Amino acid sequence: MNSSNEPDLILLKERYDNALKDLSEFNNSGKTYKEMTLPEFKEQVGLFWLRSDIWKQALENGVYSKEKLDEDFKQFKMHAKRLLL
């Protein structure tokens, strides 16, 4: 890591870890769109895009290994399925 952008990468890693934790909690809840109010659904769709952007930034910046990010991506796919089922 370059020391000039190290604080940015540390912040990105923290954002990624928090997003993945929240995503895991949502996925473990088993909730689908049918059980959400419209505002809850809109919030989850917004969070899906926000978390996806964080994942993409983590990939582009090498915050974690490609293998870990590929494995974590399964959580993102599960989130998308919950919003569609």
Side-chain angles (χ1 to χ4, degrees):
M1 272 190 262
N2 185 338
S3 62
S4 66
N5 68 352
E6 191 170 330
D8 291 339
L9 292 177
I10 290 170
L11 180 59
L12 177 58
K13 183 179 184 292
E14 288 175 14
R15 288 179 63 216
Y16 182 85
D17 291 342
N18 289 334
L20 195 63
K21 179 181 174 240
D22 292 343
L23 178 60
S24 180
E25 288 173 4
F26 175 79
N27 285 342
N28 290 335
S29 76
K31 200 170 191 180
T32 66
Y33 85 89
K34 295 175 186 175
E35 302 161 325
M36 295 180 211
T37 64
L38 185 57
E40 288 174 323
F41 177 75
K42 287 181 177 182
E43 178 184 11
Q44 284 302 317
V45 169
L47 287 171
F48 173 81
W49 290 113
L50 175 65
R51 292 172 182 146
S52 295
D53 287 343
I54 293 170
W55 181 88
K56 181 181 175 195
Q57 290 173 18
L59 178 66
E60 291 171 345
N61 289 286
V63 171
Y64 285 111
S65 70
K66 176 133 174 37
E67 292 79 21
K68 178 186 175 6
L69 293 169
D70 286 346
E71 185 66 27
D72 291 346
F73 193 72
K74 292 176 185 175
Q75 291 281 336
F76 290 87
K77 289 190 328 188
M78 184 184 298
H79 187 215
K81 286 180 182 179
R82 295 221 188 258
L83 294 175
L84 297 172
L85 296 176

